[in-house]
Amino acid sequence: MATAVDCEVVVVGAGPVGLITTLLLAKAGISTTLIEGLPDIDNSPRAMAYGPAAVLELERAGIAPDARKAGMEPSDYDHRLRWITIDNKLVAEFKPEDRLPGSPDPCLCGQYTLARIIQEHLSRYPCAKVLFNHKCVDIEQDTDSITAIIETLDGTKHIKAKYLVGSDGGRSSVRKILDLGYEGFTLPQWLVACNVRYPFREYGFARGQFIIHPEHFCMVGKIDPTGLYRVSYNEQEDLTRDEVLANVHNKFEAIFPGPKPLSKDAYKIEMISPYRLHQRSATSYRKGRALLAGDAAHACSPFGGMGLTGGICDAGGLGDCLIGVLRKGCDDSLLDKYAEIRRKIYKEITDPVSYGNTCALRDSDPETAATSVEPFKTMNTSPEARRDMMKNAYLVGHDFRQYWPTNVETRNKDEKHPAVATTAVITSAGPKI
């Protein structure tokens, strides 16, 4: 006799990864409860651009059009991504013409706005619930079910499910309860993420650029059509958090283009969040009926957009694996395949590439980087070299639907974009050329 459950899957953590996982399950008719310890979605500044593999998942979930509408102007579709010196001399860039034929349009949208969009889509599915002020404090599991023990404003409650997904961030309570290690290291520098208004384009900046500098390496990118920008810069490791916040104007003075000295009236900070950079992975992404995704599973430097991109690919992959097990007749071992493959992708691609991006910004001589430092040297070789780099960006994704039974309709029933046509496209070579 089957164990009675409150839902089929309980998801812990209402960031974009947890929300997308829940949405994909709900679209498949799987009863899912998403719990979040905070009273609402976290609005601290985090990601604002997504790699091609993640954009495919946003397209598949039906989220991408609304995200583009909220985050982009018509001119942003011809997106340039630049690497520059601190005085705005070009070192390297990806140009609009470097896009691969058949690839999806870029998707630029602040993480908080993206989460709100997913939440709105999720509200259309009665088989899904989102519960805030629900903090997972313990987990119990047996051979047939798993139970999340939750603290709420009204006391303790239990939610029993067939599977549990921990997508509750780098400080994941799920990972800690499961006693899974978080191997790797923490970079010494602070990263300070700011949402700020300043007329960057009037002074020659593009929609998105990275500044190469040993002391002031950073990213400056426009978040939305209102002119709000994300400025994410490094700060000295020996400063306290209060000292980091007190030094914001001095960092802006060094980084921002335009007249100097920089007037404090020239910009408006809407939000600021200092945090530490990590290159870490859980020792396993599965323990029994519990699975990890996003920062709960792995963390990396945000320079290059690998963090949430990898998390969104986790969500797509885990969603497909759970759908395979719960609806397509797949063996439970498919979830082991998820854990193994997603961890392998982090270890072999996400970790070295994201850390390499940070080192290239921090450790390169800006005056010679264009011809002597990777990846800038390769980017400046030819359009073909840049397209090959774009193909490699799809390796962060993996289509787990290829492991569904062959008699099950899998891939293209509701998908219209040519870039998701075959497994090889997503996992190996990017869109067809």
Side-chain angles (χ1 to χ4, degrees), residues 257-294:
K260 303 293 174 66
L262 178 67
S263 168
K264 290 186 178 181
D265 294 330
Y267 60 84
K268 179 182 178 182
I269 297 175
E270 295 200 352
M271 192 167 293
I272 184 167
S273 178
Y275 58 97
R276 297 290 187 178
L277 297 177
H278 305 281
Q279 299 289 145
R280 295 186 179 274
S281 173
T283 51
S284 175
Y285 297 177
R286 181 183 188 187
K287 190 168 184 179
R289 291 181 168 270
L291 301 111
L292 299 178

Short mmCIF file of all heavy atoms in Angstrom, two decimals, residues 257-294:
data_model
loop_
_atom_site.label_atom_id
_atom_site.label_comp_id
_atom_site.label_asym_id
_atom_site.label_seq_id
_atom_site.Cartn_x
_atom_site.Cartn_y
_atom_site.Cartn_z
N PRO A 257 32.66 56.07 -15.18
CA PRO A 257 33.14 57.03 -16.18
C PRO A 257 32.52 58.40 -15.90
O PRO A 257 31.64 58.53 -15.05
CB PRO A 257 32.61 56.44 -17.48
CG PRO A 257 31.31 55.78 -17.07
CD PRO A 257 31.57 55.21 -15.69
N GLY A 258 32.98 59.42 -16.62
CA GLY A 258 32.39 60.74 -16.46
C GLY A 258 33.27 61.67 -15.65
O GLY A 258 34.41 61.36 -15.31
N PRO A 259 32.72 62.86 -15.33
CA PRO A 259 33.50 63.91 -14.66
C PRO A 259 34.04 63.45 -13.31
O PRO A 259 33.38 62.74 -12.57
CB PRO A 259 32.48 65.05 -14.49
CG PRO A 259 31.41 64.77 -15.48
CD PRO A 259 31.34 63.29 -15.61
N LYS A 260 35.26 63.89 -13.00
CA LYS A 260 35.88 63.65 -11.70
C LYS A 260 36.27 65.00 -11.11
O LYS A 260 36.72 65.88 -11.84
CB LYS A 260 37.11 62.75 -11.83
CG LYS A 260 36.84 61.39 -12.49
CD LYS A 260 35.97 60.50 -11.63
CE LYS A 260 35.57 59.21 -12.33
NZ LYS A 260 36.65 58.30 -12.62
N PRO A 261 36.11 65.22 -9.82
CA PRO A 261 35.63 64.26 -8.83
C PRO A 261 34.15 63.95 -9.02
O PRO A 261 33.38 64.78 -9.50
CB PRO A 261 35.88 64.97 -7.50
CG PRO A 261 35.81 66.42 -7.83
CD PRO A 261 36.41 66.55 -9.21
N LEU A 262 33.78 62.74 -8.65
CA LEU A 262 32.40 62.27 -8.79
C LEU A 262 31.56 62.85 -7.66
O LEU A 262 31.87 62.68 -6.48
CB LEU A 262 32.37 60.75 -8.74
CG LEU A 262 30.99 60.08 -8.83
CD1 LEU A 262 30.37 60.31 -10.21
CD2 LEU A 262 31.10 58.59 -8.53
N SER A 263 30.49 63.53 -8.04
CA SER A 263 29.58 64.07 -7.04
C SER A 263 28.65 62.98 -6.51
O SER A 263 28.18 62.13 -7.27
CB SER A 263 28.74 65.20 -7.65
OG SER A 263 27.67 65.55 -6.80
N LYS A 264 28.39 63.01 -5.22
CA LYS A 264 27.45 62.05 -4.65
C LYS A 264 26.03 62.29 -5.15
O LYS A 264 25.18 61.39 -5.06
CB LYS A 264 27.49 62.11 -3.12
CG LYS A 264 28.78 61.57 -2.52
CD LYS A 264 28.72 61.52 -1.01
CE LYS A 264 30.00 60.93 -0.43
NZ LYS A 264 29.98 60.84 1.05
N ASP A 265 25.78 63.46 -5.68
CA ASP A 265 24.46 63.75 -6.24
C ASP A 265 24.31 63.19 -7.66
O ASP A 265 23.21 63.21 -8.22
CB ASP A 265 24.24 65.27 -6.29
CG ASP A 265 24.16 65.88 -4.90
OD1 ASP A 265 23.72 65.17 -3.97
OD2 ASP A 265 24.54 67.05 -4.75
N ALA A 266 25.40 62.71 -8.25
CA ALA A 266 25.36 62.23 -9.63
C ALA A 266 24.75 60.84 -9.74
O ALA A 266 24.37 60.42 -10.84
CB ALA A 266 26.76 62.23 -10.23
N TYR A 267 24.67 60.11 -8.65
CA TYR A 267 24.13 58.75 -8.68
C TYR A 267 23.16 58.55 -7.53
O TYR A 267 23.15 59.29 -6.55
CB TYR A 267 25.25 57.71 -8.60
CG TYR A 267 26.10 57.78 -7.35
CD1 TYR A 267 25.70 57.14 -6.17
CD2 TYR A 267 27.29 58.49 -7.33
CE1 TYR A 267 26.46 57.21 -5.01
CE2 TYR A 267 28.08 58.57 -6.19
CZ TYR A 267 27.66 57.93 -5.03
OH TYR A 267 28.40 58.00 -3.89
N LYS A 268 22.34 57.52 -7.67
CA LYS A 268 21.40 57.16 -6.62
C LYS A 268 21.48 55.66 -6.39
O LYS A 268 21.21 54.86 -7.30
CB LYS A 268 19.97 57.55 -7.00
CG LYS A 268 18.93 57.17 -5.94
CD LYS A 268 17.52 57.52 -6.39
CE LYS A 268 16.50 57.10 -5.33
NZ LYS A 268 15.11 57.37 -5.78
N ILE A 269 21.85 55.25 -5.20
CA ILE A 269 21.90 53.83 -4.84
C ILE A 269 20.51 53.38 -4.38
O ILE A 269 19.94 53.97 -3.46
CB ILE A 269 22.93 53.57 -3.73
CG1 ILE A 269 24.34 53.93 -4.20
CG2 ILE A 269 22.88 52.11 -3.29
CD1 ILE A 269 25.39 53.82 -3.13
N GLU A 270 19.98 52.35 -5.01
CA GLU A 270 18.68 51.82 -4.61
C GLU A 270 18.81 50.60 -3.70
O GLU A 270 17.90 50.33 -2.91
CB GLU A 270 17.85 51.48 -5.85
CG GLU A 270 17.51 52.72 -6.68
CD GLU A 270 16.32 52.50 -7.59
OE1 GLU A 270 15.84 51.35 -7.70
OE2 GLU A 270 15.87 53.50 -8.19
N MET A 271 19.92 49.88 -3.82
CA MET A 271 20.13 48.71 -2.97
C MET A 271 21.60 48.34 -3.02
O MET A 271 22.27 48.55 -4.04
CB MET A 271 19.26 47.54 -3.43
CG MET A 271 19.20 46.38 -2.47
SD MET A 271 17.87 45.22 -2.92
CE MET A 271 16.43 46.24 -2.60
N ILE A 272 22.10 47.82 -1.91
CA ILE A 272 23.49 47.41 -1.85
C ILE A 272 23.62 46.20 -0.95
O ILE A 272 22.95 46.10 0.08
CB ILE A 272 24.39 48.58 -1.37
CG1 ILE A 272 25.87 48.18 -1.41
CG2 ILE A 272 24.00 49.03 0.02
CD1 ILE A 272 26.80 49.37 -1.25
N SER A 273 24.47 45.24 -1.36
CA SER A 273 24.62 44.00 -0.60
C SER A 273 26.05 43.48 -0.72
O SER A 273 26.44 42.97 -1.77
CB SER A 273 23.63 42.94 -1.11
OG SER A 273 23.79 41.73 -0.42
N PRO A 274 26.86 43.59 0.33
CA PRO A 274 28.19 42.97 0.32
C PRO A 274 28.10 41.49 0.70
O PRO A 274 27.35 41.13 1.60
CB PRO A 274 28.96 43.75 1.41
CG PRO A 274 28.05 44.86 1.86
CD PRO A 274 26.66 44.42 1.53
N TYR A 275 28.85 40.65 0.02
CA TYR A 275 28.89 39.26 0.39
C TYR A 275 30.22 38.65 -0.05
O TYR A 275 30.99 39.28 -0.79
CB TYR A 275 27.70 38.47 -0.16
CG TYR A 275 27.52 38.47 -1.66
CD1 TYR A 275 27.98 37.42 -2.44
CD2 TYR A 275 26.84 39.50 -2.30
CE1 TYR A 275 27.80 37.39 -3.81
CE2 TYR A 275 26.64 39.49 -3.67
CZ TYR A 275 27.13 38.44 -4.42
OH TYR A 275 26.95 38.42 -5.78
N ARG A 276 30.49 37.45 0.40
CA ARG A 276 31.73 36.76 0.07
C ARG A 276 31.55 35.87 -1.16
O ARG A 276 30.46 35.36 -1.41
CB ARG A 276 32.19 35.91 1.26
CG ARG A 276 32.52 36.70 2.51
CD ARG A 276 33.78 37.54 2.36
NE ARG A 276 34.17 38.16 3.63
CZ ARG A 276 35.27 38.91 3.77
NH1 ARG A 276 36.07 39.13 2.76
NH2 ARG A 276 35.55 39.44 4.97
N LEU A 277 32.64 35.67 -1.88
CA LEU A 277 32.64 34.82 -3.07
C LEU A 277 33.11 33.42 -2.70
O LEU A 277 34.10 33.26 -1.99
CB LEU A 277 33.57 35.40 -4.13
CG LEU A 277 33.23 36.78 -4.69
CD1 LEU A 277 34.29 37.21 -5.67
CD2 LEU A 277 31.87 36.76 -5.36
N HIS A 278 32.40 32.42 -3.22
CA HIS A 278 32.73 31.03 -2.91
C HIS A 278 32.89 30.22 -4.19
O HIS A 278 32.20 30.47 -5.19
CB HIS A 278 31.63 30.39 -2.07
CG HIS A 278 31.30 31.14 -0.82
ND1 HIS A 278 32.07 31.06 0.31
CD2 HIS A 278 30.28 32.00 -0.53
CE1 HIS A 278 31.55 31.83 1.26
NE2 HIS A 278 30.46 32.41 0.77
N GLN A 279 33.78 29.27 -4.16
CA GLN A 279 33.89 28.23 -5.18
C GLN A 279 33.73 26.90 -4.44
O GLN A 279 34.70 26.33 -3.94
CB GLN A 279 35.25 28.29 -5.88
CG GLN A 279 35.56 29.58 -6.62
CD GLN A 279 34.75 29.78 -7.88
OE1 GLN A 279 34.39 30.89 -8.24
NE2 GLN A 279 34.45 28.69 -8.57
N ARG A 280 32.51 26.43 -4.33
CA ARG A 280 32.22 25.27 -3.48
C ARG A 280 31.17 24.37 -4.13
O ARG A 280 30.31 24.84 -4.89
CB ARG A 280 31.72 25.71 -2.10
CG ARG A 280 32.77 26.47 -1.28
CD ARG A 280 32.28 26.74 0.13
NE ARG A 280 33.30 27.45 0.91
CZ ARG A 280 34.27 26.85 1.59
NH1 ARG A 280 34.35 25.54 1.59
NH2 ARG A 280 35.14 27.57 2.27
N SER A 281 31.24 23.10 -3.77
CA SER A 281 30.24 22.13 -4.22
C SER A 281 29.93 21.17 -3.09
O SER A 281 30.83 20.75 -2.35
CB SER A 281 30.75 21.35 -5.43
OG SER A 281 29.87 20.29 -5.77
N ALA A 282 28.67 20.80 -2.99
CA ALA A 282 28.29 19.73 -2.05
C ALA A 282 28.97 18.43 -2.47
O ALA A 282 29.24 18.19 -3.65
CB ALA A 282 26.78 19.55 -2.03
N THR A 283 29.24 17.59 -1.48
CA THR A 283 29.90 16.31 -1.77
C THR A 283 29.02 15.37 -2.58
O THR A 283 29.51 14.49 -3.27
CB THR A 283 30.32 15.63 -0.46
OG1 THR A 283 29.18 15.58 0.43
CG2 THR A 283 31.43 16.41 0.23
N SER A 284 27.71 15.55 -2.48
CA SER A 284 26.76 14.82 -3.32
C SER A 284 25.53 15.70 -3.48
O SER A 284 25.20 16.50 -2.60
CB SER A 284 26.37 13.48 -2.68
OG SER A 284 25.36 12.84 -3.46
N TYR A 285 24.84 15.57 -4.60
CA TYR A 285 23.61 16.33 -4.83
C TYR A 285 22.37 15.49 -4.54
O TYR A 285 21.25 15.93 -4.81
CB TYR A 285 23.56 16.85 -6.27
CG TYR A 285 24.66 17.83 -6.63
CD1 TYR A 285 24.78 18.33 -7.92
CD2 TYR A 285 25.59 18.25 -5.68
CE1 TYR A 285 25.78 19.22 -8.26
CE2 TYR A 285 26.60 19.14 -6.01
CZ TYR A 285 26.69 19.62 -7.31
OH TYR A 285 27.69 20.51 -7.64
N ARG A 286 22.59 14.28 -3.96
CA ARG A 286 21.45 13.45 -3.57
C ARG A 286 21.78 12.69 -2.30
O ARG A 286 22.90 12.21 -2.13
CB ARG A 286 21.08 12.45 -4.66
CG ARG A 286 19.86 11.60 -4.26
CD ARG A 286 19.49 10.53 -5.26
NE ARG A 286 18.21 9.94 -4.87
CZ ARG A 286 17.65 8.88 -5.44
NH1 ARG A 286 18.26 8.28 -6.45
NH2 ARG A 286 16.49 8.42 -5.02
N LYS A 287 20.79 12.61 -1.41
CA LYS A 287 20.89 11.73 -0.26
C LYS A 287 19.49 11.17 -0.01
O LYS A 287 18.59 11.88 0.44
CB LYS A 287 21.40 12.47 0.98
CG LYS A 287 21.74 11.54 2.14
CD LYS A 287 22.51 12.25 3.23
CE LYS A 287 22.93 11.30 4.33
NZ LYS A 287 23.73 11.99 5.39
N GLY A 288 19.32 9.91 -0.34
CA GLY A 288 18.00 9.30 -0.22
C GLY A 288 17.00 9.95 -1.14
O GLY A 288 17.21 10.03 -2.35
N ARG A 289 15.91 10.44 -0.56
CA ARG A 289 14.86 11.08 -1.34
C ARG A 289 15.01 12.60 -1.40
O ARG A 289 14.11 13.30 -1.87
CB ARG A 289 13.48 10.70 -0.77
CG ARG A 289 13.15 9.24 -1.00
CD ARG A 289 11.80 8.82 -0.48
NE ARG A 289 11.48 7.49 -0.99
CZ ARG A 289 10.82 7.25 -2.13
NH1 ARG A 289 10.39 8.26 -2.85
NH2 ARG A 289 10.60 6.01 -2.53
N ALA A 290 16.14 13.10 -0.95
CA ALA A 290 16.42 14.54 -0.98
C ALA A 290 17.47 14.85 -2.04
O ALA A 290 18.46 14.12 -2.18
CB ALA A 290 16.89 15.01 0.40
N LEU A 291 17.26 15.94 -2.77
CA LEU A 291 18.18 16.36 -3.82
C LEU A 291 18.49 17.84 -3.68
O LEU A 291 17.67 18.61 -3.15
CB LEU A 291 17.58 16.07 -5.20
CG LEU A 291 17.26 14.59 -5.43
CD1 LEU A 291 15.76 14.38 -5.50
CD2 LEU A 291 17.96 14.06 -6.67
N LEU A 292 19.64 18.24 -4.15
CA LEU A 292 20.08 19.64 -4.07
C LEU A 292 20.15 20.26 -5.46
O LEU A 292 20.46 19.58 -6.45
CB LEU A 292 21.45 19.73 -3.42
CG LEU A 292 21.60 19.21 -1.99
CD1 LEU A 292 23.05 19.35 -1.53
CD2 LEU A 292 20.66 19.93 -1.04
N ALA A 293 19.89 21.56 -5.51
CA ALA A 293 19.98 22.30 -6.77
C ALA A 293 20.39 23.73 -6.47
O ALA A 293 20.16 24.26 -5.38
CB ALA A 293 18.64 22.27 -7.51
N GLY A 294 20.97 24.40 -7.47
CA GLY A 294 21.38 25.79 -7.31
C GLY A 294 22.49 25.96 -6.29
O GLY A 294 23.33 25.07 -6.11
#
